[in-house]
Amino acid sequence: EAVQGDGRTLSGYAAVFNAATTINSWEGRFDETIAPGAFRKTLRERTPIMQWDHGHDSRVGSVPIGVYQTLVEDERGLKVDGRLFANDVVEPVRQAIEAQAVRGMSFKFQVTRDKWTDNAGVVVRDEELFNLLYDAGERGPLNREIQEIKLFEAGPVSSPAYNQTSVGVRSAEQMTDDDRKAFVEEC
């Protein structure tokens, strides 16, 4: 139950559309964007769990830190609203978000449909992809557009892959129009 002024309502953008980030990992090195509509199917099929730092924190672990009330795609990205649990394990996470020491979000997912292109916009064929991921040469950097995702979890993180994501906490009362405007400007 919501308590007025409790600061446990989490809001933010777990993902943003058409905002490139560079991935440099075991998968290779490439630029990645998420297309509008990428979450449409998965949001009909499941509600992801809310985790702190992908469940890697030694104190919190993979235990959910709250529950999502709404997850919707809007023109900007995947907008989330939920309630953080009120317990001693989650409270330090809530405080870090409230103090804006933690400002971004991330999500665990499986890509179910994507499109790869080179730096000239030429589609990369499946048989070319493996070799080009590690050495794209003159065709690099490669670009990956994620078109459909299977979403497993989303939540605040200390180091988001997409810097354009955002997270904040507020009391349980409805946001005013001024609050919404300030939130959007902050993002």
Side-chain angles (χ1 to χ4, degrees), residues 8-9 13 19 37 61 78 86 88 100 117 119 125 145 173 177:
R8 290 189 299 112
T9 298
Y13 280 90
L78 180 60
D88 292 343
Q100 295 186 344
T117 56
N119 60 13
R125 296 186 319 267
E145 179 186 67
E173 303 90 52
D177 288 341

Side-chain angles (χ1 to χ4, degrees), residues 81-144:
D81 286 289
R83 294 286 294 159
L84 294 169
F85 297 137
N87 62 51
D88 292 343
V89 175
V90 175
E91 184 58 18
V93 175
R94 190 202 68 76
Q95 289 174 0
I97 296 167
E98 182 178 54
Q100 295 186 344
V102 170
R103 301 175 61 111
M105 296 186 79
S106 187
F107 54 96
K108 280 186 188 173
F109 63 101
Q110 175 185 357
V111 175
T112 56
R113 191 166 37 93
D114 60 6
K115 177 182 174 185
W116 290 87
T117 56
D118 65 14
N119 60 13
V122 175
V123 173
V124 174
R125 296 186 319 267
D126 289 345
E127 60 271 12
E128 299 176 293
L129 185 57
F130 181 78
N131 289 330
L132 291 176
L133 277 173
Y134 298 99
D135 185 9
E138 293 178 6
R139 293 184 71 184
L142 295 184
N143 298 289
R144 178 191 208 185

Side-chain angles (χ1 to χ4, degrees), residues 117-185:
T117 56
D118 65 14
N119 60 13
V122 175
V123 173
V124 174
R125 296 186 319 267
D126 289 345
E127 60 271 12
E128 299 176 293
L129 185 57
F130 181 78
N131 289 330
L132 291 176
L133 277 173
Y134 298 99
D135 185 9
E138 293 178 6
R139 293 184 71 184
L142 295 184
N143 298 289
R144 178 191 208 185
E145 179 186 67
I146 297 175
Q147 298 172 328
E148 187 176 274
I149 287 173
K150 185 183 287 186
L151 183 62
F152 302 109
E153 67 94 347
V157 293
S158 56
S159 300
Y162 287 86
N163 292 325
Q164 303 89 344
T165 61
S166 60
V167 67
V169 290
R170 57 178 165 69
S171 61
E173 303 90 52
Q174 290 293 95
M175 289 180 83
T176 66
D177 288 341
D178 288 340
D179 291 337
R180 282 188 194 87
K181 184 178 177 187
F183 178 76
V184 168
E185 287 172 359

Side-chain angles (χ1 to χ4, degrees), residues 38-100:
F39 297 94
R40 191 174 299 129
K41 183 174 187 271
T42 195
L43 292 178
R44 286 193 309 263
E45 296 173 347
R46 68 173 42 87
T47 298
I49 63 171
M50 183 190 302
Q51 278 189 322
W52 159 243
D53 234 4
H54 296 302
H56 297 300
D57 182 83
S58 62
R59 185 166 180 220
V60 179
S62 61
V63 175
I65 62 169
V67 66
Y68 286 113
Q69 296 167 320
T70 59
L71 295 103
V72 296
E73 282 194 7
D74 67 14
E75 66 283 346
R76 187 165 191 273
L78 180 60
K79 172 95 173 76
V80 300
D81 286 289
R83 294 286 294 159
L84 294 169
F85 297 137
N87 62 51
D88 292 343
V89 175
V90 175
E91 184 58 18
V93 175
R94 190 202 68 76
Q95 289 174 0
I97 296 167
E98 182 178 54
Q100 295 186 344

Side-chain angles (χ1 to χ4, degrees), residues 22-30 133-134:
T22 299
I23 304 295
N24 191 7
S25 71
W26 62 270
E27 298 171 292
R29 181 175 170 79
F30 52 92
L133 277 173
Y134 298 99

